[in-house]
Amino acid sequence: DLEVTGAVGNLSPALELSVYRIVQEAFTNASKHAPAAHVRACIDASPQELRVSVTDDGPLSESGPGGRRGLAGMAERVAVFGGQFRAGPGLERGWAVEATLPVPR
């Protein structure tokens, strides 16, 4: 599932691509490591920031996906914009990826 809320407005191509790749990588990880899980991506936009959340309802996992190169890549994409990134076990089940990216003015 994908849910987009707020006014996205005019974003730089670099920021758009980073958000796309974060969501893509999170979905890829879920399909590899929790293939039967339901995955939900939420993008909440405001004039100041984009909040991206991708969660799945697979089995609770402390270790997370594989070699973590995908997670490192997502974290690097967020860091380029001075944002915040978190990936780890979900609150009750599955895995969660969360990113907050400031929107340059």
Side-chain angles (χ1 to χ4, degrees), residues 41-104:
C42 298
I43 301 171
D44 183 30
S46 75
Q48 296 80 26
E49 67 184 14
L50 290 173
R51 289 188 306 271
V52 180
S53 169
V54 182
T55 58
D56 71 63
D57 63 359
L60 185 60
S61 170
E62 290 295 329
S63 62
R68 297 184 180 263
R69 287 186 301 269
L71 293 176
M74 286 187 270
E76 289 169 2
R77 288 180 185 281
V78 173
V80 164
F81 293 95
Q84 297 178 346
F85 178 77
R86 176 200 161 302
L91 293 176
E92 295 180 21
R93 295 184 53 83
W95 192 258
V97 170
E98 299 168 345
T100 303
L101 300 120
V103 174

Side-chain angles (χ1 to χ4, degrees), residues 8-32:
V8 175
N10 290 331
L11 302 175
S12 72
L15 184 57
E16 286 182 359
L17 179 60
S18 290
V19 170
Y20 174 83
R21 290 290 292 132
I22 290 165
V23 172
Q24 181 185 41
E25 181 65 26
F27 267 84
T28 298
N29 286 346
S31 70
K32 285 170 140 179

